[in-house]
Amino acid sequence: MSGTRKPKTTRKKKDPNAPKRSLSAYMFFANENRDIVRSENPGITFGGVGKLLGEKWKALTPDEKSPYEQKAENDKKRYEQEKANYLAQQQ
DNA sequence: CAAGTGATTGTTTCC
DNA sequence: GGAAACAATCACTTG
């Protein structure tokens, strides 16, 4: 119970260049599951796919997430240079 | 120095 | 085009 939603509290407004952030492991996993889950569940709707996706995501194991987490790591670095370049020009 | 806090990321389906 | 479930994140903010 720390920061689940985003009701609002502190934190600056937004960066001038706003390098945004990186994707999450779920984003990479979802990229592969969207076509697979939906392919195995033809007819299922957002109510099922959306929830079903999350359940399966953890249904696997940290080992299955591994490939996705790996991509997340690479993407994180992507953001790292974004921020670096953003901070450089910002100065 | 430490903790947490928000902001964001992408998918799906739906009107 | 945006909304909500689903999850991770994790770099920045602040005291």
Side-chain angles (χ1 to χ4, degrees):
Chain A
M1 293 95 142
S2 308
T4 318
R5 236 62 89 179
K6 46 190 168 287
K8 88 160 68 181
T9 10
T10 26
R11 232 1 170 43
K12 260 184 171 29
K13 296 176 186 310
K14 261 165 51 163
D15 294 301
N17 305 270
K20 318 284 181 156
R21 35 173 323 91
S22 48
L23 274 66
S24 348
Y26 192 86
M27 302 299 117
F28 308 96
F29 158 92
N31 268 276
E32 299 261 320
N33 311 73
R34 78 190 145 175
D35 35 294
I36 291 175
V37 171
R38 223 173 126 236
S39 184
E40 302 197 307
N41 302 287
I44 191 167
T45 51
F46 171 75
V49 174
K51 287 168 134 189
L52 185 68
L53 253 166
E55 289 181 57
K56 296 212 162 182
W57 162 240
K58 284 179 174 168
L60 303 171
T61 42
D63 306 284
E64 273 62 49
K65 297 184 356 162
S66 207
Y68 309 103
E69 285 183 323
Q70 286 164 23
K71 193 79 180 80
E73 259 188 79
N74 170 50
D75 187 284
K76 175 199 157 285
K77 282 163 187 160
R78 171 94 257 111
Y79 168 86
E80 272 189 56
Q81 58 186 281
E82 283 183 62
K83 173 188 51 140
N85 164 46
Y86 141 73
L87 292 168
Q89 65 164 277
Q90 171 187 88
Q91 247 174 99

